[in-house]
PDB file of all heavy atoms in Angstrom:
ATOM      1  N   ASP A  20       7.191   4.169 -22.004  1.00  0.00           N
ATOM      2  CA  ASP A  20       8.018   3.865 -20.840  1.00  0.00           C
ATOM      3  C   ASP A  20       7.815   4.886 -19.726  1.00  0.00           C
ATOM      4  O   ASP A  20       7.822   4.540 -18.547  1.00  0.00           O
ATOM      5  CB  ASP A  20       9.502   3.809 -21.226  1.00  0.00           C
ATOM      6  CG  ASP A  20       9.947   2.410 -21.597  1.00  0.00           C
ATOM      7  OD1 ASP A  20       9.162   1.459 -21.396  1.00  0.00           O
ATOM      8  OD2 ASP A  20      11.081   2.260 -22.074  1.00  0.00           O
ATOM      9  N   THR A  21       7.605   6.134 -20.100  1.00  0.00           N
ATOM     10  CA  THR A  21       7.362   7.168 -19.098  1.00  0.00           C
ATOM     11  C   THR A  21       6.090   6.852 -18.315  1.00  0.00           C
ATOM     12  O   THR A  21       6.078   6.902 -17.081  1.00  0.00           O
ATOM     13  CB  THR A  21       7.244   8.560 -19.763  1.00  0.00           C
ATOM     14  OG1 THR A  21       8.443   8.825 -20.476  1.00  0.00           O
ATOM     15  CG2 THR A  21       6.992   9.644 -18.731  1.00  0.00           C
ATOM     16  N   GLY A  22       5.026   6.514 -19.022  1.00  0.00           N
ATOM     17  CA  GLY A  22       3.770   6.155 -18.367  1.00  0.00           C
ATOM     18  C   GLY A  22       3.917   4.928 -17.484  1.00  0.00           C
ATOM     19  O   GLY A  22       3.387   4.875 -16.377  1.00  0.00           O
ATOM     20  N   ARG A  23       4.634   3.956 -17.995  1.00  0.00           N
ATOM     21  CA  ARG A  23       4.884   2.727 -17.226  1.00  0.00           C
ATOM     22  C   ARG A  23       5.572   3.045 -15.905  1.00  0.00           C
ATOM     23  O   ARG A  23       5.152   2.600 -14.843  1.00  0.00           O
ATOM     24  CB  ARG A  23       5.742   1.775 -18.054  1.00  0.00           C
ATOM     25  CG  ARG A  23       6.323   0.635 -17.267  1.00  0.00           C
ATOM     26  CD  ARG A  23       7.366  -0.073 -18.106  1.00  0.00           C
ATOM     27  NE  ARG A  23       8.034  -1.122 -17.389  1.00  0.00           N
ATOM     28  CZ  ARG A  23       9.082  -1.756 -17.841  1.00  0.00           C
ATOM     29  NH1 ARG A  23       9.581  -1.465 -19.023  1.00  0.00           N
ATOM     30  NH2 ARG A  23       9.652  -2.703 -17.143  1.00  0.00           N
ATOM     31  N   TRP A  24       6.661   3.819 -15.958  1.00  0.00           N
ATOM     32  CA  TRP A  24       7.424   4.103 -14.748  1.00  0.00           C
ATOM     33  C   TRP A  24       6.687   5.059 -13.822  1.00  0.00           C
ATOM     34  O   TRP A  24       6.867   5.008 -12.598  1.00  0.00           O
ATOM     35  CB  TRP A  24       8.833   4.576 -15.088  1.00  0.00           C
ATOM     36  CG  TRP A  24       9.616   3.432 -15.670  1.00  0.00           C
ATOM     37  CD1 TRP A  24      10.037   3.295 -16.958  1.00  0.00           C
ATOM     38  CD2 TRP A  24      10.018   2.231 -14.991  1.00  0.00           C
ATOM     39  NE1 TRP A  24      10.675   2.088 -17.128  1.00  0.00           N
ATOM     40  CE2 TRP A  24      10.688   1.408 -15.931  1.00  0.00           C
ATOM     41  CE3 TRP A  24       9.878   1.753 -13.691  1.00  0.00           C
ATOM     42  CZ2 TRP A  24      11.204   0.148 -15.615  1.00  0.00           C
ATOM     43  CZ3 TRP A  24      10.398   0.503 -13.361  1.00  0.00           C
ATOM     44  CH2 TRP A  24      11.052  -0.275 -14.324  1.00  0.00           C
ATOM     45  N   LEU A  25       5.832   5.908 -14.363  1.00  0.00           N
ATOM     46  CA  LEU A  25       4.972   6.729 -13.502  1.00  0.00           C
ATOM     47  C   LEU A  25       3.999   5.844 -12.727  1.00  0.00           C
ATOM     48  O   LEU A  25       3.773   6.062 -11.532  1.00  0.00           O
ATOM     49  CB  LEU A  25       4.212   7.772 -14.324  1.00  0.00           C
ATOM     50  CG  LEU A  25       5.018   8.983 -14.781  1.00  0.00           C
ATOM     51  CD1 LEU A  25       4.193   9.855 -15.733  1.00  0.00           C
ATOM     52  CD2 LEU A  25       5.491   9.801 -13.580  1.00  0.00           C
ATOM     53  N   LEU A  26       3.425   4.831 -13.399  1.00  0.00           N
ATOM     54  CA  LEU A  26       2.533   3.894 -12.701  1.00  0.00           C
ATOM     55  C   LEU A  26       3.299   3.066 -11.674  1.00  0.00           C
ATOM     56  O   LEU A  26       2.786   2.781 -10.590  1.00  0.00           O
ATOM     57  CB  LEU A  26       1.813   2.985 -13.701  1.00  0.00           C
ATOM     58  CG  LEU A  26       0.640   3.599 -14.445  1.00  0.00           C
ATOM     59  CD1 LEU A  26       0.049   2.594 -15.443  1.00  0.00           C
ATOM     60  CD2 LEU A  26      -0.432   4.077 -13.487  1.00  0.00           C
ATOM     61  N   VAL A  27       4.533   2.684 -11.993  1.00  0.00           N
ATOM     62  CA  VAL A  27       5.365   1.950 -11.030  1.00  0.00           C
ATOM     63  C   VAL A  27       5.599   2.817  -9.796  1.00  0.00           C
ATOM     64  O   VAL A  27       5.445   2.371  -8.652  1.00  0.00           O
ATOM     65  CB  VAL A  27       6.712   1.510 -11.663  1.00  0.00           C
ATOM     66  CG1 VAL A  27       7.693   1.050 -10.604  1.00  0.00           C
ATOM     67  CG2 VAL A  27       6.477   0.398 -12.685  1.00  0.00           C
ATOM     68  N   ALA A  28       5.975   4.085 -10.017  1.00  0.00           N
ATOM     69  CA  ALA A  28       6.243   4.995  -8.892  1.00  0.00           C
ATOM     70  C   ALA A  28       4.984   5.242  -8.070  1.00  0.00           C
ATOM     71  O   ALA A  28       5.028   5.221  -6.827  1.00  0.00           O
ATOM     72  CB  ALA A  28       6.808   6.317  -9.412  1.00  0.00           C
ATOM     73  N   LEU A  29       3.867   5.456  -8.739  1.00  0.00           N
ATOM     74  CA  LEU A  29       2.597   5.680  -8.034  1.00  0.00           C
ATOM     75  C   LEU A  29       2.215   4.457  -7.213  1.00  0.00           C
ATOM     76  O   LEU A  29       1.841   4.576  -6.042  1.00  0.00           O
ATOM     77  CB  LEU A  29       1.490   6.027  -9.032  1.00  0.00           C
ATOM     78  CG  LEU A  29       0.101   6.216  -8.446  1.00  0.00           C
ATOM     79  CD1 LEU A  29       0.070   7.412  -7.503  1.00  0.00           C
ATOM     80  CD2 LEU A  29      -0.923   6.385  -9.565  1.00  0.00           C
ATOM     81  N   THR A  30       2.317   3.277  -7.806  1.00  0.00           N
ATOM     82  CA  THR A  30       1.987   2.045  -7.096  1.00  0.00           C
ATOM     83  C   THR A  30       2.914   1.817  -5.912  1.00  0.00           C
ATOM     84  O   THR A  30       2.475   1.423  -4.835  1.00  0.00           O
ATOM     85  CB  THR A  30       2.031   0.833  -8.054  1.00  0.00           C
ATOM     86  OG1 THR A  30       1.175   1.089  -9.167  1.00  0.00           O
ATOM     87  CG2 THR A  30       1.584  -0.435  -7.363  1.00  0.00           C
ATOM     88  N   ALA A  31       4.195   2.083  -6.094  1.00  0.00           N
ATOM     89  CA  ALA A  31       5.157   1.918  -5.001  1.00  0.00           C
ATOM     90  C   ALA A  31       4.842   2.880  -3.858  1.00  0.00           C
ATOM     91  O   ALA A  31       4.902   2.497  -2.677  1.00  0.00           O
ATOM     92  CB  ALA A  31       6.580   2.133  -5.508  1.00  0.00           C
ATOM     93  N   ALA A  32       4.492   4.119  -4.179  1.00  0.00           N
ATOM     94  CA  ALA A  32       4.144   5.093  -3.144  1.00  0.00           C
ATOM     95  C   ALA A  32       2.881   4.672  -2.392  1.00  0.00           C
ATOM     96  O   ALA A  32       2.818   4.777  -1.160  1.00  0.00           O
ATOM     97  CB  ALA A  32       3.967   6.474  -3.767  1.00  0.00           C
ATOM     98  N   ILE A  33       1.895   4.189  -3.128  1.00  0.00           N
ATOM     99  CA  ILE A  33       0.663   3.715  -2.496  1.00  0.00           C
ATOM    100  C   ILE A  33       0.960   2.512  -1.604  1.00  0.00           C
ATOM    101  O   ILE A  33       0.461   2.426  -0.479  1.00  0.00           O
ATOM    102  CB  ILE A  33      -0.409   3.399  -3.558  1.00  0.00           C
ATOM    103  CG1 ILE A  33      -0.897   4.691  -4.210  1.00  0.00           C
ATOM    104  CG2 ILE A  33      -1.567   2.615  -2.962  1.00  0.00           C
ATOM    105  CD1 ILE A  33      -1.756   4.497  -5.442  1.00  0.00           C
ATOM    106  N   CYS A  34       1.774   1.580  -2.094  1.00  0.00           N
ATOM    107  CA  CYS A  34       2.160   0.409  -1.281  1.00  0.00           C
ATOM    108  C   CYS A  34       2.850   0.840   0.006  1.00  0.00           C
ATOM    109  O   CYS A  34       2.570   0.302   1.080  1.00  0.00           O
ATOM    110  CB  CYS A  34       3.089  -0.516  -2.060  1.00  0.00           C
ATOM    111  SG  CYS A  34       2.271  -1.668  -3.138  1.00  0.00           S
ATOM    112  N   ALA A  35       3.747   1.805  -0.095  1.00  0.00           N
ATOM    113  CA  ALA A  35       4.472   2.282   1.082  1.00  0.00           C
ATOM    114  C   ALA A  35       3.510   2.906   2.095  1.00  0.00           C
ATOM    115  O   ALA A  35       3.574   2.620   3.295  1.00  0.00           O
ATOM    116  CB  ALA A  35       5.547   3.280   0.673  1.00  0.00           C
ATOM    117  N   GLY A  36       2.621   3.756   1.613  1.00  0.00           N
ATOM    118  CA  GLY A  36       1.640   4.383   2.503  1.00  0.00           C
ATOM    119  C   GLY A  36       0.718   3.373   3.161  1.00  0.00           C
ATOM    120  O   GLY A  36       0.458   3.448   4.369  1.00  0.00           O
ATOM    121  N   LEU A  37       0.225   2.419   2.378  1.00  0.00           N
ATOM    122  CA  LEU A  37      -0.658   1.384   2.935  1.00  0.00           C
ATOM    123  C   LEU A  37       0.083   0.487   3.920  1.00  0.00           C
ATOM    124  O   LEU A  37      -0.495   0.027   4.908  1.00  0.00           O
ATOM    125  CB  LEU A  37      -1.279   0.554   1.809  1.00  0.00           C
ATOM    126  CG  LEU A  37      -2.300   1.277   0.934  1.00  0.00           C
ATOM    127  CD1 LEU A  37      -2.739   0.382  -0.221  1.00  0.00           C
ATOM    128  CD2 LEU A  37      -3.506   1.727   1.749  1.00  0.00           C
ATOM    129  N   THR A  38       1.363   0.235   3.665  1.00  0.00           N
ATOM    130  CA  THR A  38       2.162  -0.586   4.583  1.00  0.00           C
ATOM    131  C   THR A  38       2.331   0.131   5.924  1.00  0.00           C
ATOM    132  O   THR A  38       2.251  -0.507   6.985  1.00  0.00           O
ATOM    133  CB  THR A  38       3.522  -0.932   3.959  1.00  0.00           C
ATOM    134  OG1 THR A  38       3.290  -1.663   2.749  1.00  0.00           O
ATOM    135  CG2 THR A  38       4.374  -1.776   4.897  1.00  0.00           C
ATOM    136  N   LEU A  39       2.547   1.441   5.895  1.00  0.00           N
ATOM    137  CA  LEU A  39       2.635   2.203   7.141  1.00  0.00           C
ATOM    138  C   LEU A  39       1.317   2.153   7.903  1.00  0.00           C
ATOM    139  O   LEU A  39       1.291   1.987   9.128  1.00  0.00           O
ATOM    140  CB  LEU A  39       3.032   3.655   6.857  1.00  0.00           C
ATOM    141  CG  LEU A  39       4.459   3.872   6.387  1.00  0.00           C
ATOM    142  CD1 LEU A  39       4.675   5.325   5.995  1.00  0.00           C
ATOM    143  CD2 LEU A  39       5.450   3.449   7.465  1.00  0.00           C
ATOM    144  N   TRP A  40       0.221   2.299   7.190  1.00  0.00           N
ATOM    145  CA  TRP A  40      -1.102   2.221   7.802  1.00  0.00           C
ATOM    146  C   TRP A  40      -1.312   0.823   8.389  1.00  0.00           C
ATOM    147  O   TRP A  40      -1.785   0.666   9.510  1.00  0.00           O
ATOM    148  CB  TRP A  40      -2.150   2.559   6.756  1.00  0.00           C
ATOM    149  CG  TRP A  40      -3.565   2.643   7.214  1.00  0.00           C
ATOM    150  CD1 TRP A  40      -4.037   2.706   8.500  1.00  0.00           C
ATOM    151  CD2 TRP A  40      -4.723   2.687   6.379  1.00  0.00           C
ATOM    152  NE1 TRP A  40      -5.405   2.788   8.498  1.00  0.00           N
ATOM    153  CE2 TRP A  40      -5.848   2.785   7.210  1.00  0.00           C
ATOM    154  CE3 TRP A  40      -4.901   2.660   5.000  1.00  0.00           C
ATOM    155  CZ2 TRP A  40      -7.151   2.842   6.711  1.00  0.00           C
ATOM    156  CZ3 TRP A  40      -6.188   2.722   4.510  1.00  0.00           C
ATOM    157  CH2 TRP A  40      -7.304   2.817   5.350  1.00  0.00           C
ATOM    158  N   LEU A  41      -0.945  -0.191   7.628  1.00  0.00           N
ATOM    159  CA  LEU A  41      -1.065  -1.577   8.070  1.00  0.00           C
ATOM    160  C   LEU A  41      -0.268  -1.833   9.346  1.00  0.00           C
ATOM    161  O   LEU A  41      -0.751  -2.480  10.279  1.00  0.00           O
ATOM    162  CB  LEU A  41      -0.596  -2.517   6.953  1.00  0.00           C
ATOM    163  CG  LEU A  41      -0.355  -3.986   7.287  1.00  0.00           C
ATOM    164  CD1 LEU A  41      -1.608  -4.633   7.827  1.00  0.00           C
ATOM    165  CD2 LEU A  41       0.138  -4.712   6.054  1.00  0.00           C
ATOM    166  N   ALA A  42       0.933  -1.323   9.418  1.00  0.00           N
ATOM    167  CA  ALA A  42       1.804  -1.562  10.577  1.00  0.00           C
ATOM    168  C   ALA A  42       1.208  -1.016  11.873  1.00  0.00           C
ATOM    169  O   ALA A  42       1.546  -1.489  12.957  1.00  0.00           O
ATOM    170  CB  ALA A  42       3.179  -0.940  10.326  1.00  0.00           C
ATOM    171  N   ARG A  43       0.292  -0.071  11.752  1.00  0.00           N
ATOM    172  CA  ARG A  43      -0.299   0.557  12.942  1.00  0.00           C
ATOM    173  C   ARG A  43      -1.711   0.055  13.242  1.00  0.00           C
ATOM    174  O   ARG A  43      -2.399   0.633  14.090  1.00  0.00           O
ATOM    175  CB  ARG A  43      -0.308   2.063  12.753  1.00  0.00           C
ATOM    176  CG  ARG A  43       1.092   2.637  12.696  1.00  0.00           C
ATOM    177  CD  ARG A  43       1.074   4.143  12.553  1.00  0.00           C
ATOM    178  NE  ARG A  43       2.430   4.662  12.634  1.00  0.00           N
ATOM    179  CZ  ARG A  43       3.113   5.129  11.614  1.00  0.00           C
ATOM    180  NH1 ARG A  43       2.571   5.150  10.417  1.00  0.00           N
ATOM    181  NH2 ARG A  43       4.329   5.586  11.766  1.00  0.00           N
ATOM    182  N   GLN A  44      -2.148  -0.970  12.561  1.00  0.00           N
ATOM    183  CA  GLN A  44      -3.509  -1.480  12.756  1.00  0.00           C
ATOM    184  C   GLN A  44      -3.685  -2.098  14.129  1.00  0.00           C
ATOM    185  O   GLN A  44      -2.843  -2.856  14.597  1.00  0.00           O
ATOM    186  CB  GLN A  44      -3.856  -2.514  11.681  1.00  0.00           C
ATOM    187  CG  GLN A  44      -4.279  -1.917  10.383  1.00  0.00           C
ATOM    188  CD  GLN A  44      -5.516  -1.076  10.516  1.00  0.00           C
ATOM    189  OE1 GLN A  44      -6.580  -1.542  10.918  1.00  0.00           O
ATOM    190  NE2 GLN A  44      -5.385   0.198  10.185  1.00  0.00           N
ATOM    191  N   HIS A  45      -4.824  -1.809  14.735  1.00  0.00           N
ATOM    192  CA  HIS A  45      -5.149  -2.351  16.056  1.00  0.00           C
ATOM    193  C   HIS A  45      -6.371  -3.270  15.995  1.00  0.00           C
ATOM    194  O   HIS A  45      -6.928  -3.621  17.038  1.00  0.00           O
ATOM    195  CB  HIS A  45      -5.393  -1.215  17.044  1.00  0.00           C
ATOM    196  CG  HIS A  45      -4.177  -0.387  17.272  1.00  0.00           C
ATOM    197  ND1 HIS A  45      -3.093  -0.844  17.975  1.00  0.00           N
ATOM    198  CD2 HIS A  45      -3.856   0.855  16.845  1.00  0.00           C
ATOM    199  CE1 HIS A  45      -2.164   0.086  18.005  1.00  0.00           C
ATOM    200  NE2 HIS A  45      -2.589   1.116  17.312  1.00  0.00           N
ATOM    201  N   HIS A  46      -6.780  -3.641  14.776  1.00  0.00           N
ATOM    202  CA  HIS A  46      -7.928  -4.523  14.593  1.00  0.00           C
ATOM    203  C   HIS A  46      -7.603  -5.534  13.503  1.00  0.00           C
ATOM    204  O   HIS A  46      -7.038  -5.175  12.474  1.00  0.00           O
ATOM    205  CB  HIS A  46      -9.170  -3.717  14.217  1.00  0.00           C
ATOM    206  CG  HIS A  46      -9.500  -2.684  15.247  1.00  0.00           C
ATOM    207  ND1 HIS A  46     -10.118  -2.982  16.432  1.00  0.00           N
ATOM    208  CD2 HIS A  46      -9.238  -1.356  15.281  1.00  0.00           C
ATOM    209  CE1 HIS A  46     -10.239  -1.885  17.153  1.00  0.00           C
ATOM    210  NE2 HIS A  46      -9.709  -0.888  16.473  1.00  0.00           N
ATOM    211  N   MET A  47      -7.967  -6.759  13.762  1.00  0.00           N
ATOM    212  CA  MET A  47      -7.624  -7.847  12.842  1.00  0.00           C
ATOM    213  C   MET A  47      -8.219  -7.636  11.455  1.00  0.00           C
ATOM    214  O   MET A  47      -7.531  -7.816  10.460  1.00  0.00           O
ATOM    215  CB  MET A  47      -8.087  -9.194  13.413  1.00  0.00           C
ATOM    216  CG  MET A  47      -7.696 -10.365  12.539  1.00  0.00           C
ATOM    217  SD  MET A  47      -5.917 -10.549  12.332  1.00  0.00           S
ATOM    218  CE  MET A  47      -5.563 -11.574  13.741  1.00  0.00           C
ATOM    219  N   LEU A  48      -9.480  -7.243  11.371  1.00  0.00           N
ATOM    220  CA  LEU A  48     -10.110  -7.095  10.058  1.00  0.00           C
ATOM    221  C   LEU A  48      -9.407  -6.023   9.225  1.00  0.00           C
ATOM    222  O   LEU A  48      -9.125  -6.229   8.043  1.00  0.00           O
ATOM    223  CB  LEU A  48     -11.599  -6.771  10.196  1.00  0.00           C
ATOM    224  CG  LEU A  48     -12.378  -6.695   8.881  1.00  0.00           C
ATOM    225  CD1 LEU A  48     -12.290  -8.010   8.111  1.00  0.00           C
ATOM    226  CD2 LEU A  48     -13.832  -6.331   9.152  1.00  0.00           C
ATOM    227  N   GLY A  49      -9.088  -4.898   9.835  1.00  0.00           N
ATOM    228  CA  GLY A  49      -8.374  -3.841   9.115  1.00  0.00           C
ATOM    229  C   GLY A  49      -7.004  -4.298   8.659  1.00  0.00           C
ATOM    230  O   GLY A  49      -6.574  -3.999   7.547  1.00  0.00           O
ATOM    231  N   ALA A  50      -6.316  -5.045   9.519  1.00  0.00           N
ATOM    232  CA  ALA A  50      -4.985  -5.542   9.162  1.00  0.00           C
ATOM    233  C   ALA A  50      -5.060  -6.542   8.010  1.00  0.00           C
ATOM    234  O   ALA A  50      -4.230  -6.512   7.098  1.00  0.00           O
ATOM    235  CB  ALA A  50      -4.317  -6.178  10.379  1.00  0.00           C
ATOM    236  N   MET A  51      -6.049  -7.430   8.044  1.00  0.00           N
ATOM    237  CA  MET A  51      -6.189  -8.412   6.967  1.00  0.00           C
ATOM    238  C   MET A  51      -6.581  -7.718   5.662  1.00  0.00           C
ATOM    239  O   MET A  51      -6.085  -8.067   4.588  1.00  0.00           O
ATOM    240  CB  MET A  51      -7.227  -9.489   7.325  1.00  0.00           C
ATOM    241  CG  MET A  51      -6.836 -10.353   8.505  1.00  0.00           C
ATOM    242  SD  MET A  51      -5.333 -11.326   8.214  1.00  0.00           S
ATOM    243  CE  MET A  51      -4.119 -10.385   9.118  1.00  0.00           C
ATOM    244  N   ALA A  52      -7.461  -6.730   5.747  1.00  0.00           N
ATOM    245  CA  ALA A  52      -7.873  -5.984   4.555  1.00  0.00           C
ATOM    246  C   ALA A  52      -6.673  -5.290   3.920  1.00  0.00           C
ATOM    247  O   ALA A  52      -6.430  -5.417   2.712  1.00  0.00           O
ATOM    248  CB  ALA A  52      -8.951  -4.962   4.924  1.00  0.00           C
ATOM    249  N   LEU A  53      -5.913  -4.571   4.728  1.00  0.00           N
ATOM    250  CA  LEU A  53      -4.752  -3.868   4.199  1.00  0.00           C
ATOM    251  C   LEU A  53      -3.666  -4.837   3.732  1.00  0.00           C
ATOM    252  O   LEU A  53      -2.997  -4.587   2.730  1.00  0.00           O
ATOM    253  CB  LEU A  53      -4.197  -2.904   5.254  1.00  0.00           C
ATOM    254  CG  LEU A  53      -5.076  -1.681   5.502  1.00  0.00           C
ATOM    255  CD1 LEU A  53      -4.644  -0.948   6.765  1.00  0.00           C
ATOM    256  CD2 LEU A  53      -5.063  -0.748   4.301  1.00  0.00           C
ATOM    257  N   GLY A  54      -3.510  -5.954   4.429  1.00  0.00           N
ATOM    258  CA  GLY A  54      -2.550  -6.971   3.999  1.00  0.00           C
ATOM    259  C   GLY A  54      -2.897  -7.517   2.624  1.00  0.00           C
ATOM    260  O   GLY A  54      -2.013  -7.713   1.777  1.00  0.00           O
ATOM    261  N   ALA A  55      -4.190  -7.754   2.382  1.00  0.00           N
ATOM    262  CA  ALA A  55      -4.628  -8.255   1.077  1.00  0.00           C
ATOM    263  C   ALA A  55      -4.349  -7.219  -0.020  1.00  0.00           C
ATOM    264  O   ALA A  55      -3.879  -7.562  -1.106  1.00  0.00           O
ATOM    265  CB  ALA A  55      -6.111  -8.609   1.116  1.00  0.00           C
ATOM    266  N   ILE A  56      -4.622  -5.947   0.280  1.00  0.00           N
ATOM    267  CA  ILE A  56      -4.391  -4.899  -0.709  1.00  0.00           C
ATOM    268  C   ILE A  56      -2.896  -4.732  -0.992  1.00  0.00           C
ATOM    269  O   ILE A  56      -2.475  -4.674  -2.155  1.00  0.00           O
ATOM    270  CB  ILE A  56      -5.010  -3.560  -0.242  1.00  0.00           C
ATOM    271  CG1 ILE A  56      -6.536  -3.690  -0.162  1.00  0.00           C
ATOM    272  CG2 ILE A  56      -4.613  -2.418  -1.175  1.00  0.00           C
ATOM    273  CD1 ILE A  56      -7.222  -2.532   0.557  1.00  0.00           C
ATOM    274  N   VAL A  57      -2.100  -4.676   0.060  1.00  0.00           N
ATOM    275  CA  VAL A  57      -0.653  -4.486  -0.114  1.00  0.00           C
ATOM    276  C   VAL A  57      -0.039  -5.676  -0.858  1.00  0.00           C
ATOM    277  O   VAL A  57       0.779  -5.496  -1.770  1.00  0.00           O
ATOM    278  CB  VAL A  57       0.039  -4.258   1.248  1.00  0.00           C
ATOM    279  CG1 VAL A  57       1.553  -4.353   1.135  1.00  0.00           C
ATOM    280  CG2 VAL A  57      -0.362  -2.909   1.830  1.00  0.00           C
TER     281      VAL A  57
END
């Protein structure tokens, strides 16, 4: 369970960071790429 929740926390942090990056995109391809990943 510890490993599971560490992966949940890591994934959530990565999602949050990528979402911030996505929100500031000024190019369609970058926005679509980050949208697909998020």
Side-chain angles (χ1 to χ4, degrees):
D20 268 351
T21 302
R23 167 191 176 189
W24 291 111
L25 284 173
L26 282 178
V27 167
L29 177 64
T30 305
I33 291 169
C34 276
L37 291 175
T38 300
L39 290 174
W40 185 14
L41 167 59
R43 294 182 174 107
Q44 279 299 300
H45 296 289
H46 302 282
M47 183 61 88
L48 184 59
M51 295 297 102
L53 288 167
I56 295 168
V57 168

